[in-house]
């Protein structure tokens, strides 16, 4: 995510393009948001944010008070259990399974290793790191990676609590506040 300084954006360190070992450190139910797709009328869509860190890449200092931190990438998904769902395809591919029951299985992905195919895109002179295939290319792990360095977060709006809400990043809190709920 580029840093904005006095109205201008500067390049932030990002993971290199290609397959990178990663660990899922946060799964956040972002609530229901009204969205339109391909010119269709807006509809309510349940959103899920998944956050991954890259333990094999050199850590970077983004904030002097926090010291070195792992590079990370975040991906938003529409929550759908349909056959065309990017979320379901990604979760099945990651674990090498034929079925996923979101209600029972989702929490098992927290702290789990994987490989991510990172792609770069450039806009207004800033290069961004994204997960290839609009978030689809999260692949089975090729190695054990230990535990996440970032605090692990599993936030579910169905089990809402203010302490859990206040533990989230401000930009996530703001997005949750804008949800239909």
């Amino acid at each position: 995510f580029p840093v904005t300084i006095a109205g201008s954006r500067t390049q932030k360190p990002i993971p290199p393009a290609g397959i990178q070992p990663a660990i899922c450190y946060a799964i956040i139910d972002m609530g229901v948001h009204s969205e339109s797709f391909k010119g269709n009328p807006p509809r309510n869509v349940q959103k899920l944010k998944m956050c991954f860190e890259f333990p094999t890449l050199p850590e970077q200092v983004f904030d002097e008070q926090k010291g070195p931190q792992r590079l990370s990438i975040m991906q938003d998904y529409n929550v759908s259990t349909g056959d065309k769902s990017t979320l379901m395809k990604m979760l099945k591919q990651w674990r090498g399974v034929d079925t996923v029951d979101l209600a029972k299985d989702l929490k098992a992905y927290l702290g789990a290793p994987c490989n991510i195919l990172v792609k770069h895109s450039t806009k207004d002179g800033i290069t961004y790191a994204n997960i290839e295939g609009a978030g689809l290319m999260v692949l089975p792990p090729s190695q054990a990676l230990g535990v996440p360095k970032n605090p692990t977060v599993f936030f579910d709006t169905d089990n809402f609590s203010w302490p859990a809400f206040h533990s989230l990043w401000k930009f996530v809190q703001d997005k949750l506040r804008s949800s239909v709920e």
Side-chain angles (χ1 to χ4, degrees):
F1 296 72
V3 177
T4 303
I5 301 174
S8 66
R9 292 179 175 235
T10 59
Q11 181 68 51
K12 176 181 165 185
I14 59 174
I19 295 178
Q20 302 295 336
I23 304 170
C24 178
Y25 70 92
I27 300 172
I28 304 167
D29 176 351
M30 298 298 291
V32 175
H33 296 270
S34 182
E35 294 183 350
S36 58
F37 182 69
K38 294 186 178 180
N40 292 320
R43 62 183 177 97
N44 289 340
V45 179
Q46 181 76 29
K47 304 295 279 187
L48 183 76
K49 181 179 290 297
M50 297 192 72
C51 308
F52 302 90
E53 65 181 32
F54 298 95
T56 62
L57 298 176
E59 293 185 4
Q60 304 289 321
V61 176
F62 302 100
D63 178 338
E64 291 294 331
Q65 292 179 352
K66 293 181 180 178
Q69 296 175 284
R70 289 181 174 173
L71 292 172
S72 65
I73 198 167
M74 298 178 183
Q75 180 70 45
D76 289 344
Y77 294 92
N78 291 344
V79 176
S80 169
T81 56
D83 292 337
K84 294 182 180 182
S85 164
T86 300
L87 175 63
M88 294 304 288
K89 287 179 187 176
M90 181 274 294
L91 293 173
K92 290 175 187 178
Q93 179 173 275
W94 177 359
R95 301 280 302 276
V97 296
D98 293 328
T99 61
V100 173
D101 180 339
L102 288 178
K104 289 195 265 181
D105 300 336
L106 190 58
K107 200 165 189 177
Y109 290 85
L110 186 62
C114 61
N115 282 308
I116 292 178
L117 181 52
V118 176
K119 75 169 188 170
H120 288 171
S121 60
T122 302
K123 181 178 179 184
D124 299 329
I126 302 293
T127 302
Y128 299 86
N130 301 295
I131 299 173
E132 180 67 55
L136 181 61
M137 297 306 295
V138 178
L139 309 165
S142 57
Q143 61 188 337
L145 297 171
V147 298
K149 182 176 180 182
N150 285 298
T152 55
V153 175
F154 189 85
F155 184 81
D156 182 0
T157 58
D158 290 338
N159 297 308
F160 185 88
S161 78
W162 284 109
F165 175 82
H166 289 296
S167 74
L168 300 171
W169 307 282
K170 183 178 177 342
F171 76 94
V172 171
Q173 291 177 20
D174 292 344
K175 183 73 174 178
L176 278 162
R177 283 187 183 102
S178 73
S179 70
V180 174
E181 297 102 345

